Amino acid sequence: MDATGPAARRVLRPPADHRLGASVRALTFSRYDPCARIADGVFWWATRTPDGPATLALRPTGGDLVAEGYGPGAGWVVDRADAVAGLRDDLTGFAEQARSHPLVARLAARHRGLRMPTTGLVFPRVLRAILEQKVTGTEAYRGYAAIVRHFAEPAPGPVRQLLLPPDPAAVAAAPYWVFHPFGVEQRRAETLRRAAAMADRLQRCADSAEATRRLTAVPGIGPWTAAEVVRVAYGDPDAVSVGDYHVPHTVTWALAGEPRGDDARMLTLLEPFRGHRGRVCLLLAAEGLHAPRYGPRMPIRSFAGY
């Protein structure tokens, strides 16, 4: 810990079955994410808040979860630490829905400590989602990490390797060709620059529905990207990544035993879980379920839609 210590601190009391690592995994882009990581059981998350840069540490201690904030935005992240940890995740109605399908019921019980985080911050997730469009997970991560390091700004706090996500204004001002050496072609670079230019408007959206409307109005952003954003920024448990290559196959295989499916079939099977459709997809992913693969194996995160 640095000499000054955290600027803000709060003790949370999660339920006994809460799984911190599984719940915050959505906030890390691989174990090498320059903006977020889990080290020695502590989750470290660097971000830009309305009050300035901040780093949040979530530290399990006994049965408690200690939240510590560093930097000008320390109070902001500590005030929302329970949401980041998934402790504001609202499961109202899901238990009854889950009982309607034996597999979903088993997964809901097995992964009952898994909660969906809510960051309250839109642009960091927009950055990642756009970079994941139409490429493999490995390619997306390389582009993401390279961009973060290109705009490198150290995060406050004791973890020296931790960096802040790029300032949207800096991304918007960069010409598209700046991103080319990072494996980001002109189409995604221009989409990213457009989204960065309206980051303030996106951040002011009142809810997931408004954010989805504004996001999908940006050329180059479609339902898949919007769902990937609002599921984490707003903790939307109903957000389904329509347009994904793998998810429809996984859902139709898991819920109906059909090895191949399209978006329409996926949404039909998920309809009984409306309000928690994204949660069902999360449970399937947490269990590691996937449809039988035919032909050459492809990375599980490849070929995401817009």
Side-chain angles (χ1 to χ4, degrees):
M1 194 168 289
D2 63 6
T4 59
R9 189 175 186 273
R10 179 185 175 194
V11 177
L12 308 173
R13 291 179 170 80
D17 60 5
H18 179 247
R19 294 166 54 197
L20 175 64
S23 298
V24 299
R25 188 167 294 128
L27 308 185
T28 64
F29 200 166
S30 96
R31 61 187 297 183
Y32 306 109
D33 190 330
C35 302
R37 64 189 59 188
I38 297 175
D40 298 324
V42 181
F43 175 60
W44 297 91
W45 180 57
T47 193
R48 297 179 186 274
T49 79
D51 296 338
T55 297
L56 174 67
L58 292 174
R59 188 186 311 275
T61 304
D64 295 335
L65 186 60
V66 178
E68 298 171 338
Y70 301 81
W76 194 96
V77 292
V78 167
D79 284 347
R80 291 157 180 80
D82 55 337
V84 173
L87 299 179
R88 296 187 195 177
D89 186 15
D90 185 1
L91 282 83
T92 301
F94 182 61
E96 182 178 354
Q97 291 178 338
R99 286 193 291 269
S100 70
H101 192 287
L103 175 63
V104 177
R106 288 197 300 273
L107 296 186
R110 186 176 301 161
H111 299 283
R112 61 183 177 272
L114 173 61
R115 295 291 183 266
M116 298 181 70
T118 302
T119 65
L121 297 169
V122 175
F123 184 72
R125 193 65 182 186
V126 169
L127 169 69
R128 173 174 165 175
I130 290 173
L131 294 176
E132 287 182 293
Q133 292 176 349
K134 300 291 185 180
V135 298
T136 67
T138 299
E139 291 170 315
Y141 174 74
R142 286 174 179 166
Y144 166 82
I147 289 171
V148 171
R149 293 186 176 112
H150 174 78
F151 294 99
E153 185 175 338
V159 182
R160 294 188 177 182
Q161 302 91 342
L162 212 59
L163 299 175
L164 292 167
D167 182 349
V171 173
Y176 78 84
W177 45 260
V178 165
F179 302 94
H180 184 72
F182 311 142
V184 182
E185 80 291 344
Q186 183 174 356
R187 182 192 61 78
R188 282 185 298 152
E190 294 288 16
T191 300
L192 180 58
R193 293 175 64 247
R194 285 190 289 265
M198 61 180 299
D200 287 343
R201 289 184 61 203
L202 293 172
Q203 183 61 36
R204 290 196 297 270
C205 292
D207 54 28
S208 175
E210 182 183 356
T212 297
R213 289 193 297 271
R214 287 196 179 184
L215 282 165
T216 52
V218 178
I221 292 182
W224 183 91
T225 305
E228 291 290 304
V229 172
V230 301
R231 187 164 51 248
V232 171
Y234 292 86
D236 186 346
D238 200 46
V240 180
S241 298
V242 173
D244 195 277
Y245 182 89
H246 295 282
V247 173
H249 303 325
T250 298
V251 171
T252 55
W253 173 248
L255 300 187
E258 301 165 6
R260 290 293 177 266
D262 56 16
D263 285 329
R265 179 59 173 154
M266 173 182 69
L267 292 175
T268 297
L269 291 169
L270 289 174
E271 184 58 30
F273 308 99
R274 178 168 288 276
H276 294 278
R277 295 176 300 174
R279 189 185 306 281
V280 173
C281 296
L282 176 64
L283 289 172
L284 298 179
E287 186 68 9
L289 294 176
H290 56 78
R293 294 189 176 100
Y294 303 128
R297 295 188 64 177
M298 287 180 279
I300 196 68
R301 291 291 299 165
S302 68
F303 298 101
Y306 294 105

